[in-house]
Amino acid sequence: MLTLRKTKALLFFLLGLALTGQAQQRPNIVLILADDLGFSDIGSYGGEVQTPNLDKLASGGVRYKQFYNAARCCPTRASLMTGLYPHQAGMGWMAAADLGTPAYQGTLNKESVTIAEVLKQAGYGTYMTGKWHLTNERKINGGVSDSWPKQRGFDQYFGIVPGGSNYFTPQNYSNDKRYPAPKDFYLTNAISDTSVKYIDQHFTANPQKPMFMYVAYTAPHWPLHALQKEIDKYKNQYQAGWDKLRQERFEKQKKMGLLAQNTPLSPRDKKVEAWGTLSEAQKNEMAMRMAIYAAQIDIMDQGIGRIMQKLKEKNQLDNTLILFLSDNGACAEFINSGKSKEVNGKEDTFESYRIQWANLSSTPFKEYKHYTYEGGIASPLIAHWPKGIDPKLNNSLVKEYGHVSDIMATCLELAKIAYPQTYQGHKITPLEGKSLVPHFRGQPNNRGTVYWEHEANIAVRDGKWKLVAKTEEGDAFNSKSLELYDMDADPSEMNNLAAKYPERVNTMFANWEKWAGKIGALPMDTRKYNVRAEDFKKNINGSFDDLLGGWNVREVNKVGSIEIDNTGQLTGKNSAKVSMQKPGDRPNSLGLVWNLKADKGEQYMVKLTSKASKDATFLLRFEPAKGGDGSKMLDQQISTSAKGAKASSKTFTIPEDGNYQLALYFGNLAPGDEVWVDDVELVPVKKI
């Protein structure tokens, strides 16, 4: 007769078998993230781009009809990695700035844990390839690596730590070491090939140890960079134009069951002209833009095929959960900044495929990345796991919605480990996501309410109901813009029911406000991207907490050097140490320069502390960003000594809107002189 303890043990064992489809060990997990991929771009979601490997994963697994990201790259990546809402992980906005609150610090915080950190504790080998984008760009510039992949739980890392970059000439990182791209480099292939290498190395050394690998492609994010072989495959296909292709994708989506037959296709964006109105030259150029974009996806799919093949070679494919999704909806951003303006996919170009093709990628939805309509937050999600997903579900569609935070909860359940309450001495914010594992058995997981806020674009999904509001960049949020949709009947958000159900609107918005207050999203920052980033630049890294991040070091003819001294020479741990080796031929032959934008009429003063090996002087200037030539708003000699000194400049006024630089010039120091500088602060006085 079974004892109670034995009965519980047997039930747990049987449950484990049910969860893993008779798997004899915990599954490997390969999490693949595309960048700026639209909902309909891949074949299994209606697209004409050739994605046979992703389509194979879909036919041998399940696809989600409604799976949500967080509307933008950094927020989605934070939520994906931690199982929290982006704000709770410190990434309510972007890595371009620290906006001064915990929710918007622009770096993954210590009150969250990553999937890699948790699964490593469960005995998994952890690997990452591709784009991180969860560390403030100033920290990256300064080499402050405490929030890079290796420091956040990954055993091995290869990729780019900041956001998008040139595919041919990015600054790559191997673990914490930065190096330039070698000859004949292409980032997508490098991400795929390194992923294959990590799989091979892991299972050669540890055949019984499960692995977690996060493959974060930059494809198909701008710039439009691809290899000629793949571009040639598509160079004629897109002459059909966005109107025809959008209708074709829509019909495929209905045929495969992604959409109900009575679902309406959202109208062509009002900002997009009809294809037939373009000149032949315009058609050729626009067709080429989409051809390059398609080639980027094609090359990514080929790499996913190589990952699948290596898992198969290592007899691991059947017991590997492969998840594929995108970080946000299609990208309508206008990018045109390369040396060459020719649209050919080469490394001297820097282009985007524009709103016209983004409207195609969003099929059948409206809007794009940034916004919380479905076009901005709906992501394809494919789950493939032969030993863990009921084979009767192969090629089926999950009807329940899910959210990117659910990936962490899913990994935890499969790894059989609890979400930690504390980690490395920090109290961890409770998990927000909900496991997707029931869907692998054809059962509901009753997801519950999901919330969004990004640049004052908000949304709530609660069952079939969705509340959503769009805020144009730079505008204030207006609760009168709230719209309500029945997503079961109207997945493309065509029939606004807010006027019909005002009480539901009020209740859902009140719940959103409560959530937003809890996670730190209030008050909402509605400044434009460049304004946020520029204002952050005025908050100078003057205590050198981010090492030399944000500073440009000027060293002409190697007359001296500037480095970080962490021996606490002045008021904090770090200071900038200036060492003069030989005479400078002018003051700015050795210097520290901080670039920023300022507006006409703004008034400032500069404060700093310094000390020297002996009595010395250096120059403090505020001048146009072109350098030492031209008018100077501030040109002051700073005297310092071995005792140390504090200095404050006179007040100065910005003469016109423009680019400026705060500069500390040490070229007049004598050989052998050493100077330490700390607490450099640009202090606003007033604005006229």
Side-chain angles (χ1 to χ4, degrees):
M1 188 172 182
L2 290 173
T3 65
L4 180 60
R5 178 178 295 179
K6 289 181 178 179
T7 300
K8 287 182 176 179
L10 178 60
L11 288 173
F12 182 81
F13 174 73
L14 292 174
L15 176 62
L17 288 179
L19 289 176
T20 60
Q22 306 299 316
Q24 298 303 305
Q25 60 184 20
R26 293 172 299 166
N28 310 300
I29 301 170
V30 176
L31 175 59
I32 304 174
L33 185 70
D35 196 347
D36 281 5
L37 180 81
F39 180 78
S40 69
D41 280 328
I42 62 176
S44 53
Y45 278 79
E48 68 291 323
V49 182
Q50 296 177 34
T51 55
N53 296 296
L54 284 170
D55 297 346
K56 186 175 182 180
L57 291 176
S59 63
V62 297
R63 281 168 293 160
Y64 281 69
K65 294 176 68 173
Q66 302 173 92
F67 194 81
Y68 289 122
N69 54 61
R72 193 81 172 275
C73 43
C74 295
T76 292
R77 291 161 201 275
S79 188
L80 177 69
M81 280 292 96
T82 66
L84 304 175
Y85 285 109
H87 309 70
Q88 294 172 306
M91 196 62 74
W93 189 57
M94 301 291 287
D98 180 344
L99 301 181
T101 68
Y104 295 97
Q105 67 182 41
T107 293
L108 204 63
N109 65 27
K110 299 295 186 180
E111 289 69 48
S112 61
V113 288
T114 69
I115 298 174
E117 287 169 331
V118 179
L119 292 193
K120 180 179 281 192
Q121 291 189 330
Y124 276 66
T126 56
Y127 306 87
M128 181 184 170
T129 56
K131 173 177 166 179
W132 179 238
H133 211 195
L134 289 174
T135 300
N136 187 280
E137 292 169 8
R138 185 178 293 181
K139 291 181 177 291
I140 298 171
N141 180 262
V144 181
S145 60
D146 58 349
S147 60
W148 293 10
K150 280 282 287 184
Q151 287 67 37
R152 295 310 304 252
F154 290 97
D155 295 328
Q156 295 288 332
Y157 171 67
F158 163 80
I160 58 171
V161 177
S165 69
N166 190 301
Y167 283 70
F168 299 102
T169 59
Q171 287 292 331
N172 297 304
Y173 292 81
S174 178
N175 295 322
D176 293 337
K177 186 177 180 180
R178 178 176 171 175
Y179 68 95
K183 186 179 179 181
D184 298 326
F185 182 89
Y186 185 70
L187 183 56
T188 305
N189 282 338
I191 291 170
S192 300
D193 294 343
T194 308
S195 300
V196 169
K197 182 182 76 172
Y198 285 162
I199 294 168
D200 188 73
Q201 291 175 344
H202 175 86
F203 290 112
T204 298
N206 307 286
Q208 301 304 315
K209 184 177 182 178
M211 79 174 297
F212 168 69
M213 186 164 68
Y214 174 36
V215 184
Y217 285 105
T218 58
H221 191 289
W222 48 261
L224 292 174
H225 284 166
L227 304 175
Q228 195 62 48
K229 177 183 175 183
E230 281 72 29
I231 295 174
D232 289 344
K233 288 171 64 174
Y234 297 99
K235 65 182 180 180
N236 296 320
Q237 183 161 3
Y238 291 100
Q239 290 286 346
W242 44 73
D243 292 321
K244 184 174 186 291
L245 290 168
R246 196 162 181 262
Q247 189 65 42
E248 289 179 356
R249 288 191 181 189
F250 179 58
E251 295 302 327
K252 288 179 187 176
Q253 290 172 330
K254 290 193 292 184
K255 186 176 181 180
M256 62 180 55
L258 278 168
L259 303 173
Q261 289 300 312
N262 62 350
T263 301
L265 173 64
S266 64
R268 184 199 318 118
D269 192 307
K270 292 179 181 179
K271 298 176 183 176
V272 177
E273 61 271 63
W275 179 260
T277 65
L278 272 61
S279 68
E280 286 304 307
Q282 289 172 323
K283 288 179 179 178
N284 290 336
E285 180 193 316
M286 293 305 295
M288 180 57 75
R289 289 183 188 277
M290 188 62 195
I292 300 167
Y293 178 86
Q296 290 175 300
I297 297 171
D298 189 311
I299 296 168
M300 174 181 68
D301 183 80
Q302 292 176 40
I304 292 170
R306 295 198 293 276
I307 291 170
M308 294 164 59
Q309 181 59 36
K310 180 55 67 172
L311 287 168
K312 186 176 182 180
E313 287 177 14
K314 294 295 182 179
N315 297 315
Q316 297 294 330
L317 182 61
D318 285 353
N319 196 35
T320 298
L321 171 61
I322 300 176
L323 295 167
F324 173 86
L325 70 160
S326 180
D327 65 343
N328 45 246
C331 176
E333 294 163 356
F334 185 97
I335 305 298
N336 174 235
S337 58
K339 293 180 180 179
S340 170
K341 302 304 179 183
E342 186 176 354
V343 180
N344 58 16
K346 305 301 184 184
E347 68 178 74
D348 59 349
T349 64
F350 213 89
E351 296 285 332
S352 62
Y353 76 154
R354 309 287 167 81
I355 191 173
Q356 290 91 335
W357 292 116
N359 196 211
L360 169 68
S361 293
S362 288
T363 306
F365 306 129
K366 61 185 179 184
E367 294 296 347
Y368 319 96
K369 168 184 176 181
H370 297 259
Y371 304 111
T372 51
Y373 290 104
E374 296 293 285
I377 61 176
S379 171
L381 176 67
I382 298 170
H384 179 275
W385 179 23
K387 284 191 175 182
I389 296 175
D390 188 333
K392 291 183 292 186
L393 298 175
N394 285 355
N395 203 32
S396 68
L397 297 165
V398 177
K399 296 179 175 61
E400 278 197 306
Y401 59 85
H403 182 258
V404 66
S405 62
D406 300 340
I407 303 298
M408 165 69 93
T410 305
C411 293
L412 291 173
E413 181 168 349
L414 296 178
K416 298 181 174 64
I417 186 171
Y419 187 78
Q421 294 181 331
T422 61
Y423 183 77
Q424 295 183 348
H426 297 273
K427 185 178 179 181
I428 300 302
T429 304
L431 180 67
E432 294 281 359
K434 196 165 187 178
S435 174
L436 303 174
V437 169
H439 296 153
F440 304 161
R441 305 191 297 266
Q443 299 173 0
N445 76 339
N446 302 309
R447 178 57 180 86
T449 309
V450 180
Y451 299 93
W452 287 264
E453 187 281 327
H454 181 67
E455 296 180 335
N457 297 289
I458 79 163
V460 182
R461 181 71 193 265
D462 185 6
K464 72 174 185 176
W465 296 103
K466 181 181 175 186
L467 187 74
V468 58
K470 175 181 177 179
T471 304
E472 295 287 358
E473 190 179 21
D475 290 349
F477 171 78
N478 185 349
S479 61
K480 293 181 180 180
S481 66
L482 290 166
E483 299 173 6
L484 180 70
Y485 296 98
D486 178 346
M487 300 303 291
D488 287 352
D490 182 23
S492 49
E493 300 171 300
M494 291 289 99
N495 184 22
N496 177 15
L497 300 174
K500 186 176 181 180
Y501 300 105
E503 291 185 4
R504 182 173 294 279
V505 171
N506 292 338
T507 298
M508 292 180 73
F509 183 56
N511 290 338
W512 180 89
E513 287 185 304
K514 183 177 179 180
W515 166 83
K518 182 188 81 168
I519 67 160
L522 297 177
M524 287 186 280
D525 190 336
T526 59
R527 292 174 296 165
K528 292 184 177 181
Y529 186 108
N530 63 324
V531 174
R532 299 186 201 208
E534 289 161 9
D535 285 352
F536 179 53
K537 288 287 287 184
K538 295 174 184 177
N539 180 18
I540 292 174
N541 175 27
S543 296
F544 304 97
D545 294 330
D546 293 330
L547 305 182
L548 289 171
W551 289 99
N552 295 311
V553 178
R554 182 178 176 84
E555 297 175 347
V556 180
N557 298 324
K558 297 182 179 180
V559 297
S561 64
I562 300 177
E563 59 187 2
I564 293 295
D565 187 315
N566 59 10
T567 60
Q569 291 289 329
L570 290 164
T571 61
K573 179 183 177 182
N574 294 339
S575 59
K577 181 182 179 182
V578 182
S579 302
M580 202 69 181
Q581 276 98 43
K582 56 185 181 181
D585 58 356
R586 55 189 182 275
N588 63 2
S589 59
L590 182 63
L592 279 172
V593 176
W594 186 276
N595 293 102
L596 67 150
K597 285 189 175 181
D599 297 333
K600 181 179 180 179
E602 291 179 341
Q603 291 190 335
Y604 296 97
M605 63 181 297
V606 178
K607 294 182 178 181
L608 58 84
T609 60
S610 63
K611 65 178 291 187
S613 55
K614 61 182 182 180
D615 291 352
T617 60
F618 58 93
L619 287 178
L620 168 62
R621 285 180 179 169
F622 195 92
E623 58 194 1
K626 60 184 178 182
D629 300 329
S631 60
K632 302 173 180 62
M633 284 117 272
L634 179 66
D635 190 8
Q636 184 171 331
Q637 185 170 282
I638 303 296
S639 298
T640 189
S641 68
K643 294 181 179 180
K646 292 184 178 181
S648 296
S649 77
K650 65 179 183 180
T651 297
F652 57 92
T653 303
I654 304 300
E656 59 184 18
D657 296 354
N659 298 312
Y660 295 90
Q661 63 187 34
L662 169 65
L664 305 174
Y665 291 135
F666 305 97
N668 289 337
L669 294 177
D673 281 356
E674 293 180 333
V675 172
W676 290 263
V677 178
D678 201 355
D679 300 326
V680 183
E681 185 179 3
L682 181 66
V683 182
V685 178
K686 66 177 181 178
K687 183 172 182 177
I688 298 174

